[in-house]
């Protein structure tokens, strides 16, 4: 039997960077094949060429043994290639059925389409009411829409891009069941992920890319997570070093009955949130995306106007009514989840991006004028201390890869030595090497006496990093407890348990 | 069928960013020559008269300065507002209100003026323009009304206000019924810089305004605020910059500068308020701001280029009988080629590989 998909010598050149350098590997029918690599290793570019979004500059794609050219995604779907993207393309105000109908190449009467959707859902246990509005669905449920959409076309190869980054452990298990069933029916799966233990649990083969080149194709079950990570980043991996016997000091950040207003139609506010973080402590806040994390971060950073002075205090000083700039002066720094356009301005140089949040704490402004020398010096220090791969302080933020930009942003805040640091998704989409560096920097900051809040959907991250943990669900925060008191199952239930329909 | 697709470039080339305006001007000259030849004029002659005569004929240089000054001052203000994504399209109205406010000071102090008259007129002009710019700012920040619409519509209201004022309360009693104010007293008129020419104090003021604006935009927190709100509003909020405050600042600054230009015009070339005071400088300055890359230094050059087309258009009227509208055609072409060029700087045109039926 010929290989389902075979790539030989695929090469893609972008201005200034060779994204794929003679990459060759094959996917057999019914095989679950992992594509591993750091950010910027060329995984996305490679699958975009398979799915017809981009064209290779060189090399050959063979489909069931035949050489093919895939001019566009429509042609890819016609061949039998389906793809589920990391970022969903769904209209929140429309129903599941309407969203699927919009994405179909051929016009199918809606009743017939609904019957086919129900059939696919039945076969794979992807339960979902086709008439529900997308806005009311959890991220896991939204992903199911994308999977159903892909499965309606009876794909012979399904590409999944970072599918589990937003799911609860229970949802991950459900997804794996579906993928295994698909594979047993002969559908090949190309699975892109950073999560090595998932790849070990799910995949038959793993292809590892580094810097656009293929490093190895191996059997993940025969490897350890560590050995694969080291192949991915090319060097030995560092463990987080947490000093033994750390003790927590005075309460630094006290949140008491924090409530926000609903700002948009599909926005989840937080209600009556209370917690305390002490000097030296890292508090993890777990939760599935869209449960009020954004509102919580904005309310803490000051982007969302506060209404009660006493709701937030730092070092005993009530700051609930202060704006972002004043809060920073009082020692509260925050890093939102979205890097581009929120935590950093893509079109600005790194130096100018340092002015964005560090101008007051580090005296970069004198009489209304910006001291660009000071901004440049500070940016240089961030780049050096956090090993940011950038051409220098004058490089634009947009020219950095996701992981490097995140290292820069975290460095920019951490080197300001904030009393309290609140970060959301500090290692979202960041490769293992950069993630380890960021984690270590957070631990070091806490060891030096700051209080840290880490909001994340990545349980592995929270378990490695946090001293105490709380779970956010539908805008409410559970009581915080030492991390050792939780089992994964319990966290998972707290994260997803309130969604009644989730269990169906 | 051949298909093309726009693909975003990783980083637009710096060189191209500044080469585009030059290319736009060059293309305008070439295509303009072709078009006017095709419709039966001396196309090459038209381009020569419009673009080159004002430069080669030293007699015309003073006209260039006088035309460019208001365009540069208004264009600088607009470039600041546009950086912050505040689309003030009503600079013409703010220019008019500035002119009217300055006229009020000149008429009220007629016969009792002194060294302070011109500075007072300047302040009044800026205040008048800023106040008129404040209306769209208020509507935008309070009721989220689109500033493009309000600022544009307010322009027409201000034109009517001139008509009313020069026909009734401000009409020159000695003017034999002409709808215009009396000529300003000499303290209320801009001095000439070079005796024997028409170059008034507004010309150096325009250059100074542009230089100050350049310094503020590149070095100050105010300039940073304008740039960051325009580039990434979400990041601006995270950095502690209020969007509403930025809208106010942008409208007040661009309105105030347009008002200053109005004052300089009424106290300079016009010497009195007349119904013909609105000369579309406020609208042409939009092209100037973009041609100058929203950079105050670029605006100086863009203002001069636009002034060339105005002066050259007049030359072409008399020498080859080209209609005055031809100037508008050339100016519009310039904006068109500039915007099209900008797209190509940021995106590349990519030919989509012809559809090979994937062998299924």
């Amino acid at each position: 039997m010929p290989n389902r998909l075979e790539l030989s010598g695929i090469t893609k050149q972008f201005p200034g960077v060779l994204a794929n350098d003679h990459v060759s590997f094959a996917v057999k029918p019914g095989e679950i094949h992992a594509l591993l690599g750091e950010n910027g290793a060329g995984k996305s570019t490679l699958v975009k060429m398979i799915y017809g979004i981009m064209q290779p500059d060189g090399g050959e794609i063979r489909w069931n043994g035949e050489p093919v050219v895939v001019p566009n995604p429509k042609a890819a779907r016609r061949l039998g290639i389906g793809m589920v993207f990391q970022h969903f393309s769904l209209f929140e105000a429309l129903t599941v059925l309407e969203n699927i109908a919009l994405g179909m190449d051929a016009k199918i009467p809606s009743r017939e389409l609904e019957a086919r959707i129900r059939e696919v859902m039945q076969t794979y246990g992807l339960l979902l009411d086709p008439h529900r509005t997308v806005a009311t669905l959890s991220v896991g449920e939204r992903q199911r829409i994308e999977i159903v959409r892909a499965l309606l076309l009876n794909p012979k190869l399904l590409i999944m891009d970072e599918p589990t980054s937003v799911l609860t452990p229970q949802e991950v298990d459900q997804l794996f069941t579906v993928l295994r069933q698909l594979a047993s029916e002969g559908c090949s799966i190309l699975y892109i992920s950073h999560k090595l233990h998932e790849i070990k649990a799910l995949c038959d083969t793993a292809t590892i890319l580094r810097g656009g080149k293929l490093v190895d194709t191996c059997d993940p079950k025969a490897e350890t997570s560590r050995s694969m990570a080291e192949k991915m980043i090319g060097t030995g991996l560092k463990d987080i070093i947490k000093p033994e016997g750390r003790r927590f000091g005075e309460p630094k950040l006290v949140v008491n009955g924090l409530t926000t207003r609903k700002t948009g139609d599909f926005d989840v506010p937080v209600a009556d949130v209370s917690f305390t973080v002490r000097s030296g402590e890292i508090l993890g806040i777990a939760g599935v995306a869209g449960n009020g994390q954004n509102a919580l971060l904005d309310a803490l950073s000051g982007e969302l106007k506060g209404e009660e002075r006493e709701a937030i205090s730092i070092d005993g000083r009530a700051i609930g009514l202060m704006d972002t700039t004043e809060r920073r002066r009082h020692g509260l720094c925050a890093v939102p989840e979205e890097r581009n356009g929120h935590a950093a301005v893509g079109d600005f140089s790194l130096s100018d991006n340092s002015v964005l949040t560090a101008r007051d704490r580090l005296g970069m402004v004198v009489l209304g004028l910006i001291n660009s020398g000071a901004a440049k010096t500070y940016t240089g220090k961030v780049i050096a201390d956090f090993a940011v791969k950038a051409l220098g302080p004058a490089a634009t933020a947009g020219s950095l890869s996701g992981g490097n930009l995140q290292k820069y942003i975290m460095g920019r805040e951490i080197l300001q030595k904030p009393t309290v640091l609140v970060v959301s998704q500090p290692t979202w989409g960041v490769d293992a090497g950069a993630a380890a560096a960021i984690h270590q920097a957070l631990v070091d900051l806490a060891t030096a006496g700051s209080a840290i809040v880490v909001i994340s959907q990545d349980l592995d991250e929270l378990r490695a990093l946090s001293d105490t943990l709380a779970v956010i669900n539908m805008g409410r925060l559970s009581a915080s407890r030492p991390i050792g008191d939780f089992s994964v199952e319990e966290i998972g239930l707290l994260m997803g348990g309130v969604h009644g329909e989730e269990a169906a | 069928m051949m298909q093309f697709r726009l693909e975003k470039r990783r980083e637009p080339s710096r060189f191209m960013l500044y080469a585009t305006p030059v290319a736009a001007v060059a293309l305008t000259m070439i295509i303009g020559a072709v078009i006017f030849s095709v419709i039966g004029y001396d196309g090459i002659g038209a381009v020569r008269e419009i673009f080159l005569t004002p430069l080669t004929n030293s007699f015309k240089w003073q006209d260039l300065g006088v035309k460019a000054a208001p365009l540069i001052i208004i264009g600088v203000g607009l470039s600041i507002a546009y950086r912050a994504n505040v689309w003030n399209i009503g600079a013409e109205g703010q220019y008019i209100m500035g002119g009217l406010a300055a006229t009020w000071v000149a008429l009220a102090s007629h016969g009792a003026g002194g060294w302070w008259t011109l500075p007072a007129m300047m302040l009044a002009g800026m205040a008048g323009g800023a106040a008129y710019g404040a209306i769209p700012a208020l509507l935008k920040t309070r009721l989220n009304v689109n500033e493009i619409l309000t600022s544009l519509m307010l322009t027409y209201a201000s034109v009517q206000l001139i008509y009313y004022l020069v026909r009734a309360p401000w009409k020159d009693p000695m003017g034999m019924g002409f709808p215009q104010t009396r000529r300003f007293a000499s303290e209320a008129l801009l001095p000439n810089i070079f005796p024997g020419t028409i170059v008034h104090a507004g010309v150096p003021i325009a250059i100074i305004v542009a230089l100050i604006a350049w310094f503020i935009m590149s070095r100050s927190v105010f300039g940073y605020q304008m740039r960051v709100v325009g580039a990434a509003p979400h990041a601006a909020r995270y950095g502690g910059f209020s969007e509403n405050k930025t809208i106010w600042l942008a409208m007040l600054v661009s309105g105030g500068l347009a008002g200053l230009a109005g004052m300089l015009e009424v106290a300079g070339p016009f010497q009195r308020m007349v119904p013909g005071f609105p000369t579309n400088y406020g609208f042409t300055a939009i092209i100037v701001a973009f041609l100058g890359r929203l950079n105050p230094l670029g605006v100086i050059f863009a203002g001069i280029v636009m002034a060339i087309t105005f002066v050259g258009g007049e030359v072409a009227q008399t020498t080859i009988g080209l209609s005055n509208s031809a100037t508008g055609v050339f100016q519009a072409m310039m904006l068109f080629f500039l915007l099209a060029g900008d797209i190509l700087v940021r995106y590349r045109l990519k030919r989509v590989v012809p559809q090979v039926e994937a062998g299924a």
Side-chain angles (χ1 to χ4, degrees):
Chain A
M1 199 141 96
N3 285 319
R4 177 63 40 82
L5 176 76
E6 195 174 330
L7 305 180
S8 46
I10 294 290
T11 299
K12 178 77 180 176
Q13 173 85 48
F14 287 125
V17 52
L18 195 55
N20 286 135
D21 186 2
H22 293 88
V23 175
S24 312
F25 67 91
V27 182
K28 293 192 210 45
E31 179 186 44
I32 305 184
H33 193 116
L35 196 53
L36 259 172
E38 293 195 295
N39 267 43
K43 295 168 304 194
S44 310
T45 309
L46 193 62
V47 293
K48 277 180 183 163
M49 288 186 289
I50 299 172
Y51 197 56
I53 299 170
M54 285 179 192
Q55 299 305 320
D57 297 331
E60 190 181 58
I61 301 177
R62 282 172 174 268
W63 180 252
N64 292 328
E66 301 285 322
V68 288
V69 174
V70 191
N72 52 42
K74 202 170 167 175
R77 289 192 289 268
R78 222 177 302 130
L79 283 174
I81 302 174
M83 180 155 176
V84 176
F85 291 90
Q86 188 178 4
H87 299 284
F88 310 144
S89 38
L90 296 170
F91 295 98
E92 298 210 327
L94 299 183
T95 65
V96 173
L97 182 63
E98 287 163 340
N99 265 292
I100 294 179
L102 274 173
M104 300 296 282
D105 292 327
K107 283 277 155 283
I108 302 169
S110 76
R111 195 167 306 165
E112 196 180 312
L113 181 64
E114 187 178 339
R116 281 178 55 192
I117 291 172
R118 285 189 189 280
E119 189 191 316
V120 168
M121 287 178 177
Q122 200 70 47
T123 316
Y124 297 100
L126 293 159
L127 294 179
L128 207 55
D129 176 0
H131 294 288
R132 268 183 67 188
T133 311
V134 169
T136 66
L137 300 179
S138 73
V139 184
E141 289 169 316
R142 290 178 196 205
Q143 187 184 54
R144 277 182 225 159
I145 306 178
E146 296 278 3
I147 296 173
V148 168
R149 187 188 267 175
L151 292 185
L152 281 172
L153 300 163
N154 298 318
K156 295 286 169 289
L157 171 71
L158 186 63
I159 304 171
M160 307 278 302
D161 190 3
E162 303 266 351
T164 60
S165 48
V166 293
L167 303 183
T168 65
Q170 283 84 353
E171 286 174 322
V172 171
D173 287 342
Q174 286 174 12
L175 174 69
F176 283 6
T177 313
V178 173
L179 295 181
R180 288 200 186 96
Q181 185 182 346
L182 273 169
S184 71
E185 292 166 2
C187 177
S188 308
I189 290 160
L190 194 55
Y191 188 91
I192 302 169
S193 179
H194 288 109
K195 298 193 180 171
L196 300 162
H197 65 268
E198 285 180 358
I199 286 171
K200 278 173 68 69
L202 181 73
C203 302
D204 309 311
T205 318
T207 290
I208 302 175
L209 295 180
R210 185 171 75 229
K213 286 198 180 85
L214 190 139
V215 183
D216 192 15
T217 294
C218 59
D219 175 3
K221 295 191 173 69
E223 300 273 335
T224 64
S225 293
R226 197 185 178 93
S227 68
M228 286 196 287
E230 286 176 354
K231 280 180 190 166
M232 226 160 83
I233 61 175
T235 57
L237 200 60
K238 286 199 209 93
D239 289 315
I240 301 180
I241 305 158
K242 269 194 183 184
E244 287 299 317
R246 288 160 63 216
R247 245 173 305 169
F248 307 135
E250 295 291 300
K252 288 280 171 191
L253 172 69
V254 178
V255 177
N256 191 7
L258 177 70
T259 299
T260 64
R261 277 172 207 237
K262 208 166 159 62
T263 49
D265 278 354
F266 304 121
D267 179 69
V268 178
V270 291
D272 199 19
V273 164
S274 303
F275 61 86
T276 299
V277 195
R278 291 159 292 179
S279 164
E281 181 180 357
I282 300 180
L283 169 71
I285 294 184
V288 176
N291 271 290
Q293 288 97 329
N294 291 340
L296 179 60
L297 184 103
D298 287 354
L300 289 175
S301 74
E303 279 191 65
L304 211 59
K305 221 168 140 39
E307 286 171 16
E308 247 186 280
R309 176 189 293 277
E310 305 295 329
I312 306 170
S313 38
I314 293 184
D315 274 337
R317 184 197 295 266
I319 59 155
L321 295 179
M322 292 182 182
D323 66 19
T324 327
T325 311
E326 286 175 280
R327 287 184 195 196
R328 272 203 199 99
R329 282 204 192 106
H330 284 91
L332 190 152
C333 291
V335 179
E337 168 183 338
E338 183 64 41
R339 289 186 279 269
N340 253 318
H342 195 175
V345 185
D347 290 341
F348 280 20
S349 68
L350 292 180
S351 221
D352 275 353
N353 271 293
S354 296
V355 174
L356 188 67
T357 66
R359 62 184 185 281
D360 288 326
R361 286 182 70 78
L362 301 177
M364 290 179 191
V365 174
V366 182
L367 298 172
L369 294 180
I370 292 169
N371 179 349
S372 52
K376 206 172 147 188
T377 312
Y378 180 65
T379 309
K381 188 167 155 51
V382 173
I383 292 175
D385 287 9
F386 281 79
V388 180
K389 275 181 217 152
L391 291 174
T396 61
S399 69
L400 267 61
S401 72
N404 274 303
L405 184 56
Q406 185 71 359
K407 282 201 281 190
Y408 161 75
I409 291 166
M410 297 300 296
R412 178 184 72 188
E413 304 303 320
I414 288 173
L415 290 186
Q416 293 183 44
K417 302 196 175 59
T419 314
V420 176
L421 178 66
V422 184
V423 296
S424 181
Q425 303 280 62
T427 58
W428 172 284
V430 167
D431 58 74
I438 289 170
H439 287 158
Q440 190 59 50
L442 287 171
V443 169
D444 293 346
L445 184 68
T447 310
S450 298
I452 299 177
V453 179
V454 179
I455 303 172
S456 176
Q457 292 153 37
D458 184 342
L459 280 188
D460 297 338
E461 168 168 69
L462 290 176
R463 282 155 56 84
L465 208 54
S466 325
D467 303 304
T468 39
L469 187 82
V471 179
I472 192 167
N473 184 276
M474 301 299 279
R476 295 187 173 273
L477 190 71
S478 76
S480 54
R481 278 162 32 200
I483 186 83
D485 290 5
F486 286 96
S487 68
V488 179
E489 286 67 31
E490 191 185 355
I491 300 171
L493 286 176
L494 278 170
M495 279 164 75
V498 179
H499 289 286
E501 64 279 355
E502 205 84 25
Chain B
M1 198 182 71
M2 214 158 19
Q3 281 186 327
F4 291 95
R5 183 159 66 185
L6 289 173
E7 208 171 78
K8 201 164 173 158
R9 290 176 200 265
R10 276 175 75 89
E11 195 143 5
S13 120
R14 280 243 158 266
F15 169 75
M16 287 308 290
L17 220 52
Y18 294 103
T20 321
V22 179
V25 173
L27 270 172
T28 304
M29 292 164 72
I30 296 167
I31 305 291
V34 172
I35 290 179
F36 280 90
S37 301
V38 167
I39 58 177
Y41 286 92
D42 172 9
I44 292 173
V47 168
R48 190 185 56 236
E49 295 291 54
I50 290 182
F51 287 93
L52 297 181
T53 309
L55 285 175
T56 51
N57 184 344
S58 58
F59 258 148
K60 295 286 171 198
W61 290 354
Q62 41 179 321
D63 291 302
L64 285 185
V66 170
K67 288 273 183 200
L71 289 174
I72 291 170
I73 295 174
I74 305 173
V76 163
L78 292 182
S79 70
I80 293 172
Y82 294 170
R83 273 263 177 243
N85 271 359
V86 175
W87 303 108
N88 178 7
I89 303 296
E92 179 76 2
Q94 293 138 20
Y95 160 86
I96 290 171
M97 294 310 273
L100 286 175
T103 303
W104 176 75
V105 172
L107 295 179
S109 67
H110 196 82
W115 61 268
W116 51 268
T117 314
L118 278 172
M121 285 170 72
M122 254 184 218
L123 287 179
M126 287 195 265
Y132 215 50
I135 302 172
L138 182 77
L139 292 170
K140 171 82 177 183
T141 52
R142 285 291 165 84
L143 302 169
N144 201 21
V145 182
N146 188 325
E147 75 277 14
I148 299 179
L149 296 175
T150 49
S151 64
L152 178 63
M153 290 194 294
L154 281 168
T155 299
Y156 302 109
S158 66
V159 172
Q160 298 306 317
L161 187 62
I162 298 189
Y163 292 168
Y164 166 71
L165 289 173
V166 299
R167 279 183 173 83
W170 288 1
K171 191 156 117 177
D172 180 4
M174 317 293 280
M176 296 184 296
F178 277 113
Q180 61 185 26
T181 68
R182 60 165 34 141
R183 186 170 183 272
F184 293 172
S186 59
E187 314 88 72
L189 293 176
L190 286 184
N192 265 18
I193 304 292
F194 304 111
T197 68
I198 55 167
V199 178
H200 56 75
V203 178
I205 290 177
I207 305 295
I208 293 167
V209 163
L211 291 176
I212 292 175
W214 170 77
F215 181 78
I216 288 178
M217 284 306 281
S218 55
R219 293 294 167 79
S220 74
V221 177
F222 168 84
Y224 186 85
Q225 174 172 1
M226 294 291 139
R227 289 187 288 129
V228 74
V229 167
H234 216 162
R237 194 164 7 122
Y238 166 65
F241 298 110
S242 144
E243 198 175 358
N244 280 349
K245 214 166 130 191
T246 309
I247 293 170
W248 273 102
L249 285 170
M251 286 307 297
L252 291 179
V253 168
S254 56
L257 285 177
L260 173 63
M263 175 270 163
L264 294 172
E265 280 302 288
V266 77
F270 283 94
Q271 305 190 340
R272 52 159 57 101
M273 183 52 75
V274 295
F277 181 69
T279 36
N280 283 347
Y281 279 139
F283 292 116
T284 312
I286 297 172
I287 307 182
V288 170
F290 280 109
L291 198 62
R293 306 269 77 161
L294 304 185
N295 175 332
L297 295 186
V299 164
I300 296 180
F301 294 100
I304 293 170
V305 170
M306 289 312 267
I308 290 173
T309 64
F310 274 122
V311 175
E314 279 165 20
V315 174
Q317 268 183 71
T318 48
T319 53
I320 52 176
L322 211 57
S323 151
N324 194 26
S325 336
T327 314
V329 173
F330 277 103
Q331 290 177 350
M333 260 198 282
M334 228 183 287
L335 183 63
F336 169 80
F337 284 123
L338 180 73
L339 296 179
D342 273 351
I343 295 276
L344 292 178
V345 170
R346 278 166 229 285
Y347 296 85
R348 75 175 78 248
L349 197 59
K350 196 143 196 224
R351 211 176 124 201
V352 176
V353 180
Q355 298 262 345
V356 175
E357 262 323 300

